[in-house]
Amino acid sequence: MPLFDLPLAQLRGYTSAVTTPDDFQAFWDATIDEARTFPLNATFEPVENYLTVIDTFDVTFAGYGGAPIKGWLHLPANRPAGSRLPVVVQYIGYSGGRGLVNQDTKWAQAGYAHFIMDTRGQGYGGTLGETADPHPSAGEVAHAGLMTRGAGSREDYYYRRVYVDAFRAVEAAQSHPEVDSSRVVIAGVSQGGGIVVAVAGLVAGRLDGVIAALPDVPFLQDFPRAIDITPRGPYPEIAAFLGRHRDRYEHMLSVLNYFDGVNLARSATAPALYSAAQMDDICPPSTVFASFNAYGSGTADASGTGAAKDIEVYRFNNHEGGQEYHWIKQLQFLRKLAG
């Protein structure tokens, strides 16, 4: 795959044309307030994971509309009694779910509590999922085509439910007695990275304790550009839909505006480490930089300084991004935050 997007020098200054709706904050205030009318009801059931160094709990908590959302909580088995650990809340890439009980424990291996959120209506590809999307616009069958599910209105759009689930996942992780609720890190790759950006924006002013955001090659950023230039799914799901519904482009964009990571990133305050891959034809680097460049911009003080942020760029990689190399960068980034 060649370098098909903007040159790096232009990426560093690229600004999305996405604008924030006038009632953006009011919409999300009302959405989060409504979600919190349902008791969180977070439960943590110990389960056998066949590992000697990790303890695992099967998690259930109430997400959007009070629907039950599954997850895993992994804890280092050698943790001191009575200790409270910083927690990494991880979100999963498109089509995947939380996976099997011992499939991903790397953050617990590094000494963190590791909370993995299942993604409603997914788990049909990649890692296994166990959470239905019972909303009337979806039914309970996990299948492709999520990008346009419920897209007739901002109230019914699929990612409204997912973002609320992700917000409540932070609250669920904070509720565990062995988690330090004041030290929450949010992390994810691709769709998971896009959810990280959304949660970073949504928690600002609404929920304390998130100290870092780690969005890798994030999806769900700069929808207008992504729809126009991305050759490989899932963004082309939207283009295919609009190819049949030729009169719905403006309406579709007006709905997506409420879920575009660029708009959500502006409100974020937590320090962030992004990653982008210059050969990425699933989440093009310009869409990632659109989010990165907007991140924290709505929180800038009089000096013009917003949230602390950095980005690692992997020139010769496609959507796989930095992988194991980038995890070391993340560990170093979090160590610096801890002083």
Side-chain angles (χ1 to χ4, degrees):
M1 169 59 66
L3 299 178
F4 72 99
D5 206 343
L6 301 173
L8 184 57
Q10 292 183 32
L11 290 172
R12 295 197 183 279
Y14 172 68
T15 302
S16 170
V18 170
T19 57
T20 305
D22 291 340
D23 62 348
F24 184 79
Q25 292 299 332
F27 171 76
W28 282 110
D29 282 341
T31 295
I32 298 300
D33 287 348
E34 178 185 353
R36 283 172 158 170
T37 64
F38 296 91
L40 185 61
N41 290 336
T43 62
F44 303 86
E45 299 294 332
V47 291
E48 175 62 67
N49 64 14
Y50 310 100
L51 303 174
T52 60
V53 296
I54 304 292
D55 295 332
T56 298
F57 300 83
D58 186 357
V59 180
T60 307
F61 66 94
Y64 178 89
I69 309 299
K70 299 298 293 181
W72 299 122
L73 176 66
H74 303 300
L75 300 177
N78 65 350
R79 62 194 182 278
S83 64
R84 293 169 69 87
L85 299 173
V87 62
V88 175
V89 178
Q90 179 182 343
Y91 307 112
I92 305 302
Y94 193 78
S95 83
R98 67 175 180 168
L100 300 181
V101 64
N102 57 14
Q103 195 164 358
D104 183 0
T105 62
K106 70 178 186 179
W107 286 107
Q109 294 173 49
Y112 295 86
H114 183 185
F115 186 107
I116 303 175
M117 186 190 86
D118 208 17
T119 310
R120 63 166 64 216
Q122 298 192 36
Y124 57 86
T127 48
L128 183 68
E130 298 184 59
T131 301
D133 181 12
H135 191 269
S137 71
E140 295 189 1
V141 179
H143 57 82
L146 300 167
M147 296 305 297
T148 58
R149 181 175 293 177
S153 74
R154 62 183 188 174
E155 288 76 18
D156 289 339
Y157 188 50
Y158 171 73
Y159 280 100
R160 183 184 187 217
R161 304 191 289 281
V162 172
Y163 290 175
V164 168
D165 294 345
F167 181 97
R168 301 229 80 190
V170 174
E171 295 181 312
Q174 289 176 314
S175 74
H176 192 275
E178 294 187 77
V179 165
D180 183 345
S181 62
S182 68
R183 292 190 291 167
V184 179
V185 177
I186 49 178
V189 180
S190 191
Q191 175 187 253
I195 296 171
V196 167
V197 174
V199 172
L202 291 174
V203 298
R206 299 185 180 98
L207 180 66
D208 293 333
V210 174
I211 61 168
L214 306 176
D216 290 349
V217 290
F219 182 47
L220 306 167
Q221 316 298 303
D222 197 1
F223 279 113
R225 181 167 176 82
I227 295 167
D228 283 352
I229 74 166
T230 308
R232 197 154 59 107
Y235 287 121
E237 291 179 15
I238 301 174
F241 177 87
L242 294 172
R244 296 307 308 156
H245 300 274
R246 296 169 174 84
D247 58 342
R248 296 186 62 176
Y249 177 67
E250 295 300 331
H251 177 72
M252 175 73 78
L253 287 187
S254 73
V255 171
L256 294 177
N257 244 356
Y258 290 88
F259 308 95
D260 197 312
V262 172
N263 285 332
L264 288 152
R266 293 186 175 112
S267 300
T269 59
L273 176 62
Y274 276 69
S275 74
Q278 280 193 265
M279 294 184 176
D280 192 341
D281 61 353
I282 291 178
C283 296
S286 58
T287 67
V288 176
F289 270 91
S291 176
F292 174 75
N293 291 335
Y295 191 91
S297 62
T299 63
D301 59 22
S303 67
T305 303
K309 59 187 178 183
D310 200 358
I311 187 167
E312 292 288 334
V313 180
Y314 297 95
R315 179 179 177 85
F316 296 105
N317 288 95
N318 201 306
H319 194 54
E320 74 279 0
Q323 295 181 310
E324 65 274 17
Y325 285 83
H326 193 63
W327 191 48
I328 293 172
K329 297 287 187 181
Q330 291 176 326
L331 292 170
Q332 294 170 337
F333 181 78
L334 296 180
R335 187 171 293 179
K336 288 179 182 178
L337 285 180

